[in-house]
Amino acid sequence: MDLILCHTTADFDALGAAVGLTRLLPGSKIVLTGGSHPPVRDFLALHRDEYPLIERRSVNPEKIRSLTVVDTQQRDRLGKAAEWLDLPNLKEIIVYDHHLGQESDIPATRSHIDSVGATTTLIVEQLQQQQISLTPAEATVMALGIHVDTGSLTFDQSTPRDALALAWLMQQDASLSVISTYRDPGLSLQLQQLLTESLENLEYLCLRGYTIAWVTIRTKNFVPGLSSLASELVELTEIDAILLANEYPLGEDDSRLTVIGRSQIPKTNLNLLFQLLGGGGHSQAASLNLRGVDSQAILKQLLDGIKTQIPHPPTARDLMSSPVRTILPETTIAEAQRILLRYGHSGLSVVDTQGQLVGIISRRDLDIALHHGFSHAPVKGYMTRNLKTITPDTTLPQIESLMVTYDIGRLPVLENGQLVGIVTRTDVLRELHQERDEDGEGDEEERERGGKSNINLPQLQNKLAPQLWQLLTTASQEAEKRGWHLYLVGGAVRDLLLAETAGSLMIKDIDLVVDGFHKSADVGAGVELAKALQQLYPAARLEIHGAFQTAALLWHKDPELDSLWVDIATARTEFYPYPAANPEVEASSIRQDLYRRDFTINAIALRLTNPRAGELLDFFGGLLDLQAKQIRVLHPNSFIEDPTRIYRGVRFAVRFGFQIEPQTEEFIRYAINSGVYDRTAQENSRTPALQTRLKTELKHILEAHYWKSALQLLDNLGALQCIHPSLKLDIELLRQLRLLERCLRRFDPQQTLIHWEMRLEVLIAHLEPQYRAKVAKNLQLQEDSIKRLQNLTSAQTEVMESLPKRQSPSQVVQLLRQYDLPMLILIALQSPRSLRHQIWEYLTVLANVQPLLNGNDLKKLGYKPGPQYRQILDDIVAATLDGVIKDRTEAEKFLAQHYPK
């Protein structure tokens, strides 16, 4: 006999899952181990015969072969049927549940536990995989299970998998009329009476903007359906959390306590609280049953637990952008419009000469003024003067109320009369709902697509090498002392999120950002923090780059930190005066700092400082792109402003095995085909993004093991044009690059040459001769590389004309030894096969022939040391190469003949 066990007081999810399992386990029977919820009881009164239900008392334990437990992992929720778990004749015990994080005391041989809204969803997925169809009665009760446990997909624990499961059940002809009848059956007469009593005795507590309520009802015996009563109380009173306790006697000196908990407060977890007392459930809904306890003490313990879990509501200090872009009242409409364009804002704050806020002007105001031809007029005639302002400590609910009441989209933040930040409607919506703005329009704040989330900080910590985590901890402590926020940003966060192994990630390049402007206007916050850290880590070298408000700590072959590079910057924004220029940098906030970055996967920040350490800032959907394995640029003009981002995007795509998102690829092709880089190079003497920064990206690519794939992708995008408009990865260049690798392996196994530079020289050497030196100088290659590329054509001509005429090996050596190894490799790559074979023979054989006599031998033979030694030895080598002499004796005879004493 194969049995499926529902927990005591079975709900629709337990029953629905059990019914579905009877199709997966043909011949199995369902046992309700002890009662059911009132709606389930009423449903079964009409539909019991549709399902293979049997009574517990009718089961012969000796005939049980397997047990499948649904919707619980606790023995005590199986009533007396829990005794069957210990039967010696059992072949299998299977558990299906959706309550994660619970310690199970059921000795399961197999478990199916996953994070979905209802256990029934897990069963539906298996039915779909095995292509098993259902009767309408089966589909209906399973649909009820998902509807009830997910609140018809409105509870936080609901997932897309639950929605897909419901859709499939509807295809299986689940009855919507039956579902609507039993999904919300209303309260029984007894529960209605208890509802009135509860409303009269409900106690309230307001904490951090949330309302918690609790009540104890005492009855003569167990009351089914208390969960429905708790939900009804939440709806009627609009409270945020409730604890509903029901105490009833079991005997003269004994009693039982049932507590139902419901919470709509973010970041609270009732499951954790109730588990401590032997109960459990979900983060939003949990329950427990205890016997012989002090009901008020238990209620107080749970209430205290909820209080500690309630998060502090965000304040304007947490939400605001800072510092604020301001203008004077006399600024013209045209100039204000230019500033909006430069910084991508939707409005500007207007301050007087003392820095006092006097008004706000929006993009709409400016557009109207420009439309009417008032570009020359000052903004003071168009700005809004009747302002609502807030302080840094104004809470999110208060901010939301102000915006709704007065229909305000931007609230200035004032501290001691000074403007320190601004909170926008988008900031509030993001914090409340963490919604994503998919249309990509609007100002800098409105374009942000993500939000904030908390991650498992210890889990990330375990991925990182301990000495690195200690450094980050020290840095965060130093930042906290100064009242600043500190964030780990960019590639380090990305690599941490992608890392799979624990304790082994030794990141060589770390970026930290200090966001301290809510407490300090010192633009050198990053530099100050770097100096403080250098005092604690004296082995590190400190470099300060004032123009970019950054500092760097560098370790070189440190016993613990190896060659680590830590960049520490003050949060900043940037503006490119023209394409491929160095950006102009200004102090800003962490949000604006992240927005200036290249790709979404590099625009994620991990907060290291308390009180919200572990908070992940992902305003642009970087986490989703990591999951989708795609490279997506932050804004359309990114590649116009900085072509090196094309090379970085390709590098990341090949390195991680990601795809470049289609629209990002369109932006790349548009930037390249627009000719903007050529025009910029002609109009400006300095284009760092096409010079030093491009060289740096080429270095990263050409020294990596994936350099061939990266070059092919760059060529496919047309991006090699950034090096020179005529450069293409054609068949000949590919052949030369393959030959180069053979040469480097054969002639430079110790890597005395810089291999990535040799690959770059081969790329440049593929250009027409008149462009080679110019491109090498533009990329600021080393002087010997520039000279080599400049002289390549003449050297190649000489070798091609002279080498075929050299009949003897010594003549070949005499010709080729005037060139260094890199030059010979470049010549060989561009030469016909016959000539290449001669150069190869020279490098492998002829150049390695040593004279049969050395200087000491000459001295012993009576020759005085001097300049003639070199000539003598060269002649001996030449004679050896040409086969004139073959051993030492013949060498001495040769010496006596040609150099008599």
Side-chain angles (χ1 to χ4, degrees):
M1 179 181 292
D2 299 312
L3 298 182
I4 301 167
L5 304 183
C6 297
H7 55 70
T8 56
T9 320
D11 56 15
F12 273 117
D13 187 30
L15 180 61
V19 169
L21 278 169
T22 62
R23 299 303 306 275
L24 291 170
L25 305 170
S28 58
K29 305 294 183 183
I30 301 171
V31 176
L32 300 179
T33 58
S36 58
H37 281 199
V40 175
R41 182 192 60 214
D42 296 342
F43 175 84
L44 289 177
L46 292 175
H47 301 276
R48 178 180 294 272
D49 294 340
E50 305 281 352
Y51 315 115
L53 290 160
I54 61 173
E55 297 286 337
R56 179 180 57 81
R57 59 189 176 185
S58 68
V59 174
N60 182 350
E62 295 180 358
K63 294 185 178 181
I64 301 175
R65 293 185 305 174
S66 71
L67 293 174
T68 302
V69 179
V70 295
D71 205 34
T72 185
Q73 301 169 56
Q74 309 300 322
R75 296 175 65 105
D76 62 3
R77 295 206 66 197
L78 297 178
K80 291 186 177 180
E83 299 171 356
W84 297 342
L85 296 171
D86 302 318
L87 292 172
N89 51 302
L90 282 182
K91 293 184 178 179
E92 192 170 32
I93 299 175
I94 309 169
V95 171
Y96 283 86
D97 194 21
H98 67 128
H99 300 97
L100 296 182
Q102 292 193 359
E103 289 189 14
S104 175
D105 55 4
I106 295 176
T109 55
R110 278 193 294 140
S111 295
H112 301 272
I113 303 169
D114 209 346
S115 180
V116 289
T119 304
T120 305
T121 297
L122 302 177
I123 312 301
V124 168
E125 290 174 343
Q126 292 194 11
L127 290 168
Q128 289 177 287
Q129 289 171 5
Q130 299 185 29
Q131 298 183 339
I132 298 174
S133 60
L134 303 176
T135 66
E138 292 166 338
T140 298
V141 72
M142 294 182 74
L144 269 169
I146 298 176
H147 268 290
V148 171
D149 246 37
T150 65
S152 295
L153 303 179
T154 63
F155 293 166
D156 280 355
Q157 66 264 24
S158 305
T159 70
R161 293 166 63 182
D162 299 300
L164 292 171
L166 270 178
W168 184 77
L169 291 169
M170 289 179 68
Q171 292 175 341
Q172 300 293 307
D173 294 328
S175 172
L176 296 181
S177 61
V178 174
I179 292 171
S180 65
T181 299
Y182 291 97
R183 183 183 65 84
D184 186 16
L187 300 179
S188 66
L189 181 60
Q190 183 183 18
L191 289 177
Q192 290 178 35
Q193 293 171 344
L194 291 176
L195 174 63
T196 302
E197 179 184 337
S198 299
L199 288 171
E200 291 174 353
N201 296 291
L202 209 58
E203 296 182 76
Y204 298 91
L205 168 71
C206 290
L207 182 64
R208 298 170 196 151
Y210 298 104
T211 302
I212 312 168
W214 66 96
V215 66
T216 301
I217 54 176
R218 292 176 173 80
T219 58
K220 294 181 179 179
N221 43 42
F222 170 72
V223 178
L226 285 177
S227 58
S228 300
L229 175 58
S231 299
E232 189 73 17
L233 284 169
V234 170
E235 289 186 18
L236 288 175
T237 58
E238 296 185 351
I239 54 181
D240 300 297
I242 188 170
L243 293 173
L244 172 63
N246 173 217
E247 190 174 20
Y248 57 95
L250 290 177
E252 188 172 330
D253 298 318
D254 198 3
S255 65
R256 181 176 289 275
L257 174 69
T258 297
V259 183
I260 306 291
R262 295 288 184 269
S263 175
Q264 301 178 62
I265 304 174
K267 300 181 182 178
T268 55
N269 191 327
L270 296 183
N271 180 42
L272 290 177
L273 291 178
F274 279 62
Q275 273 189 0
L276 296 174
L277 296 169
H282 300 289
S283 59
Q284 286 187 309
S287 63
L288 61 81
N289 289 286
L290 298 173
R291 189 169 176 174
V293 295
D294 183 341
S295 61
Q296 296 311 299
I298 295 297
L299 206 57
K300 183 179 183 305
Q301 182 176 340
L302 291 172
L303 186 61
D304 290 342
I306 293 178
K307 289 180 188 177
T308 60
Q309 286 187 346
I310 294 178
H312 289 268
T315 63
R317 197 187 303 280
D318 302 311
L319 302 175
M320 70 187 188
S321 296
S322 172
V324 184
R325 203 72 53 198
T326 61
I327 56 176
L328 294 170
E330 290 74 26
T331 305
T332 65
I333 295 291
E335 176 63 13
Q337 183 77 355
R338 188 191 69 79
I339 294 172
L340 276 188
L341 177 65
R342 172 169 180 159
Y343 296 106
H345 294 332
S346 60
L348 290 169
S349 299
V350 185
V351 297
D352 60 19
T353 53
Q354 284 75 44
Q356 298 293 310
L357 181 70
V358 294
I360 284 182
I361 190 162
S362 69
R363 179 182 295 160
R364 190 184 338 174
D365 299 330
L366 293 172
D367 288 342
I368 292 173
L370 288 169
H371 175 73
H372 291 295
F374 289 98
S375 61
H376 62 284
V379 297
K380 62 183 178 183
Y382 294 86
M383 68 186 187
T384 301
R385 297 175 183 271
N386 184 20
L387 303 176
K388 297 294 180 184
T389 63
I390 55 179
T391 70
D393 297 321
T394 304
T395 63
L396 176 59
Q398 294 169 321
I399 294 170
E400 184 184 8
S401 177
L402 275 173
M403 287 185 168
V404 171
T405 302
Y406 297 100
D407 191 23
I408 300 173
R410 303 169 72 86
L411 284 171
V413 184
L414 301 183
E415 188 171 33
N416 299 323
Q418 294 296 308
L419 181 65
V420 295
I422 195 156
V423 176
T424 69
R425 184 182 286 118
T426 304
D427 295 328
V428 172
L429 289 175
R430 185 186 302 113
E431 191 69 33
L432 287 173
H433 309 293
Q434 297 186 12
E435 291 178 342
R436 298 184 178 276
D437 179 9
E438 297 289 354
D439 60 15
E441 298 179 355
D443 67 346
E444 175 265 327
E445 297 97 348
E446 290 163 351
R447 282 191 295 259
E448 297 171 349
R449 299 180 61 246
K452 299 175 182 178
S453 59
N454 278 76
I455 59 171
N456 188 333
L457 196 58
Q459 191 175 45
L460 280 191
Q461 175 185 343
N462 291 337
K463 293 182 179 180
L464 201 60
Q467 61 271 34
L468 276 186
W469 187 257
Q470 180 56 51
L471 173 64
L472 295 179
T473 302
T474 302
S476 65
Q477 291 169 349
E478 290 298 314
E480 285 177 12
K481 289 179 185 177
R482 293 160 174 81
W484 298 334
H485 299 320
L486 184 66
Y487 297 90
L488 179 68
V489 300
V493 181
R494 176 201 65 219
D495 293 346
L496 262 176
L497 293 171
L498 289 174
E500 296 181 355
T501 55
S504 62
L505 188 59
M506 186 66 190
I507 301 172
K508 296 293 184 69
D509 193 349
I510 289 177
D511 286 330
L512 298 175
V513 170
V514 181
D515 183 6
F517 290 98
H518 65 292
K519 288 279 184 77
S520 168
D522 180 9
V523 296
V527 174
E528 182 181 334
L529 181 60
K531 289 179 178 178
L533 282 176
Q534 206 266 339
Q535 295 295 315
L536 300 172
Y537 289 89
R541 187 173 86 253
L542 175 65
E543 291 184 359
I544 297 175
H545 310 285
F548 296 96
Q549 302 173 18
T550 63
L553 292 172
L554 293 80
W555 285 262
H556 181 64
K557 295 184 179 178
D558 186 81
E560 288 191 352
L561 296 173
D562 197 14
S563 296
L564 174 66
W565 183 302
V566 178
D567 267 312
I568 307 177
T570 308
R572 61 202 194 274
T573 188
E574 60 189 25
F575 177 77
Y576 288 80
Y578 55 85
N582 273 335
E584 296 177 2
V585 176
E586 296 180 10
S588 185
S589 66
I590 184 63
R591 290 178 183 171
Q592 292 164 319
D593 190 277
L594 292 175
Y595 182 68
R596 71 181 180 82
R597 296 174 185 272
D598 47 17
F599 304 102
T600 58
I601 63 171
N602 295 331
I604 307 172
L606 174 65
R607 180 162 167 167
L608 299 174
T609 44
N610 291 313
R612 298 198 307 278
E615 184 177 74
L616 206 64
L617 272 62
D618 175 28
F619 299 115
F620 316 105
L623 285 173
L624 289 178
D625 288 332
L626 280 177
Q627 294 167 7
K629 296 187 175 182
Q630 68 176 5
I631 305 296
R632 183 166 55 82
V633 75
L634 260 67
H635 50 89
N637 290 320
S638 185
F639 303 119
I640 295 287
E641 293 177 338
D642 187 355
T644 59
R645 286 174 176 159
I646 300 173
Y647 281 67
R648 283 203 295 277
V650 166
R651 175 157 60 90
F652 295 140
V654 178
R655 174 185 169 188
F656 298 120
F658 286 13
Q659 295 294 317
I660 295 178
E661 181 254 349
Q663 189 175 46
T664 298
E665 183 174 333
E666 288 180 17
F667 292 147
I668 291 174
R669 294 189 185 278
Y670 175 79
I672 292 168
N673 296 333
S674 69
V676 65
Y677 305 142
D678 291 337
R679 292 196 302 273
T680 299
Q682 292 170 8
E683 296 169 1
N684 301 277
S685 59
R686 293 187 69 250
T687 52
L690 293 170
Q691 297 171 328
T692 52
R693 299 213 306 272
L694 179 57
K695 174 190 172 184
T696 299
E697 282 305 317
L698 284 166
K699 176 181 182 293
H700 288 320
I701 288 173
L702 293 174
E703 69 183 2
H705 65 88
Y706 49 76
W707 66 269
K708 291 180 185 176
S709 300
L711 282 183
Q712 288 172 337
L713 182 51
L714 285 168
D715 181 62
N716 177 264
L717 294 168
L720 292 179
Q721 294 180 39
C722 294
I723 300 174
H724 190 270
S726 65
L727 184 59
K728 294 185 183 301
L729 193 66
D730 55 26
I731 295 175
E732 174 58 23
L733 181 53
L734 282 170
R735 182 190 67 81
Q736 291 180 19
L737 288 168
R738 284 196 298 270
L739 284 174
L740 171 67
E741 294 309 295
R742 290 177 57 192
C743 291
L744 293 176
R745 286 195 301 270
R746 181 65 178 83
F747 305 127
D748 190 35
Q750 303 302 319
Q751 297 199 14
T752 57
L753 302 178
I754 302 176
H755 287 195
W756 76 266
E757 286 187 349
M758 283 300 303
R759 294 174 187 130
L760 182 53
E761 286 188 34
V762 172
L763 292 178
I764 298 173
H766 193 60
L767 300 172
E768 292 297 321
Q770 65 268 30
Y771 302 132
R772 294 168 181 166
K774 183 178 179 181
V775 171
K777 290 177 182 177
N778 185 63
L779 292 175
Q780 301 181 11
L781 299 191
Q782 297 184 60
E783 192 61 33
D784 60 342
S785 292
I786 296 173
K787 288 181 179 179
R788 190 158 42 243
L789 290 163
Q790 193 169 22
N791 299 328
L792 176 58
T793 300
S794 59
Q796 186 177 12
T797 301
E798 181 183 1
V799 171
M800 292 184 69
E801 291 178 353
S802 303
L803 194 55
K805 300 175 184 177
R806 302 297 174 106
Q807 300 300 318
S808 66
S810 62
Q811 291 175 325
V812 172
V813 171
Q814 186 180 16
L815 172 65
L816 297 183
R817 71 183 177 187
Q818 63 183 307
Y819 304 111
D820 61 11
L821 176 60
M823 178 65 90
L824 286 175
I825 290 176
L826 290 180
I827 293 172
L829 297 182
Q830 297 195 355
S831 299
R833 179 175 295 182
S834 58
L835 216 65
R836 192 163 63 248
H837 283 177
Q838 286 184 279
I839 296 174
W840 185 278
E841 183 183 13
Y842 164 74
L843 292 172
T844 54
V845 180
L846 303 182
N848 297 318
V849 172
Q850 300 296 320
L852 293 170
L853 299 174
N854 58 34
N856 290 329
D857 296 327
L858 295 181
K859 191 174 182 180
K860 288 178 182 178
L861 291 171
Y863 291 90
K864 291 183 179 180
Q868 67 170 345
Y869 267 32
R870 170 48 53 196
Q871 184 62 50
I872 292 173
L873 294 176
D874 285 346
D875 287 346
I876 292 174
V877 170
T880 305
L881 287 166
D882 295 338
V884 175
I885 59 177
K886 298 180 178 60
D887 54 32
R888 183 184 179 90
T889 302
E890 291 181 356
E892 291 179 358
K893 289 179 181 179
F894 175 86
L895 185 61
Q897 180 181 352
H898 292 84
Y899 292 93
K901 298 176 186 175

